[in-house]
């Protein structure tokens, strides 16, 4: 198994809130496509940061089954994996997560201030000045 596919599977194993997203992804794509999957991970992580739970049934907490996404856990996971220096992992994290974070003035841009030191350095390399 390639490191980028292992990254996806490890993320889903560590953060169960992504299980349904992963199952849908594999069903739709008939394979694991890390860059495609991580676009969705980015969107869901930013939604969590903004406090948007996608709760269509109207319950108060949006966490009926106890597995609501915590954006902090995603950043911690990716920070740890980014610190390993594995090129295939870095490529996915940089091009399909960090590059799709909101720009200044867009809702959720504040999440970039929450990045750990490894991901913050990678973010600055692709968007100097946080742009």
């Amino acid at each position: 198994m390639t490191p980028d596919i292992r990254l996806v599977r490890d993320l889903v194993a560590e953060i169960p809130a992504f299980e349904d997203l992963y199952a849908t992804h594999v069903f739709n794509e008939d394979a694991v496509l890390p860059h495609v999957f991580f676009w969705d991970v980015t969107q869901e992580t930013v939604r969590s940061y903004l406090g948007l739970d996608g709760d269509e049934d109207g319950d108060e907490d949006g966490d009926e089954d106890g597995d609501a996404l915590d954006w902090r856990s995603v950043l911690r996971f990716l920070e740890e994996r980014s610190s390993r220096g594995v090129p295939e992992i870095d490529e996915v994290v940089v091009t399909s997560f960090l590059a799709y974070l909101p720009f200044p003035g867009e809702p959720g841009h504040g999440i970039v201030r929450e990045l750990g030191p490894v991901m913050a350095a990678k973010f600055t390399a692709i968007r100097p000045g946080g742009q």
Side-chain angles (χ1 to χ4, degrees):
M1 178 179 315
T2 60
D4 55 346
I5 291 176
R6 170 61 58 199
L7 174 70
V8 169
R9 291 190 177 167
D10 288 350
L11 175 71
V12 174
E14 184 147 334
I15 304 174
F18 286 126
E19 288 174 350
D20 289 344
L21 184 65
Y22 177 76
T24 301
H25 170 79
V26 171
F27 178 80
N28 289 338
E29 304 298 337
D30 199 31
V32 177
L33 303 176
H35 289 279
V36 174
F37 182 73
F38 261 85
W39 187 89
D40 289 331
V41 167
T42 306
Q43 303 313 303
E44 292 303 313
T45 301
V46 171
R47 286 180 54 78
S48 173
Y49 175 78
L50 291 170
L52 305 172
D53 62 8
D55 184 25
E56 278 76 37
D57 65 3
D59 68 335
E60 291 277 325
D61 62 4
D63 189 21
E64 187 174 306
D65 55 5
D67 65 355
L69 179 62
D70 174 13
W71 59 271
R72 291 170 199 86
S73 64
V74 177
L75 296 187
R76 279 191 300 270
F77 176 87
L78 294 177
E79 177 72 11
E80 190 277 325
R81 295 306 163 103
S82 293
S83 69
R84 295 181 179 184
V86 178
E88 296 90 346
I89 290 174
D90 290 345
E91 180 184 341
V92 171
V93 171
V94 170
T95 62
S96 297
F97 184 80
L98 295 174
Y100 288 118
L101 290 176
F103 283 84
E106 294 180 343
H109 178 69
I111 198 170
V112 303
R113 291 187 299 274
E114 305 293 337
L115 298 173
V118 173
M119 287 205 309
K122 292 175 190 299
F123 183 78
T124 300
I126 60 169
R127 286 205 220 162
Q131 304 301 318

